[in-house]
Amino acid sequence: MNFTFIKSLLQINKIKKDKLVERIKKLIFSETFKYLFFGGLATIVYAAFKTLSWMVFKSGWLSETIAQSASIIFAFITNKRWVFQHQSENVWKDFLTFAAGRLTLLLFSIMVNFWFIDFHPELLMNFFHITKNVLVAGVNLFLQVFIIVINYIYSKFIVFKKN
């Protein structure tokens, strides 16, 4: 048996393992990964505040307002500090710009839901030959992906842009 060959294979595997570990580290510490990670946490914050405030106030609009507010504040802090590591003299201006973007996309999402689900569901149901339940799921999935991408671009290039 040729031990040099086996030794060479083990060295190649170690090099591949080291490269894989480096790639995983690079991914985990990348801006995009951190954005998605903290976005997931913001979703958990939203769900927790929505549930708790619903249990306390039994009001849809109030529990939604509290949950949206909490998740926007959480997302702003984590994006500013850990995702984009943004230094700024005017935190209040940054926050208002951030919140304005989030609220604009919230209104866009409401309008799309109103138009394609409440007012004219037949447009997409007939075009794609789907049921209303599938339409709701599809519109929701599309909007969530769209909003994540637009929020990332808006945050990176407008709210937390590098000077």
Side-chain angles (χ1 to χ4, degrees), residues 113-132:
N113 273 278
F114 174 76
W115 185 258
F116 287 111
I117 293 174
D118 297 332
F119 196 59
H120 288 295
E122 72 282 355
L123 293 174
L124 295 176
M125 289 171 61
N126 292 339
F127 185 79
F128 291 111
H129 305 288
I130 56 176
T131 65
K132 190 161 186 182

Side-chain angles (χ1 to χ4, degrees), residues 125 130-139:
M125 289 171 61
I130 56 176
T131 65
K132 190 161 186 182
N133 287 339
V134 173
L135 171 68
V136 170
V139 167

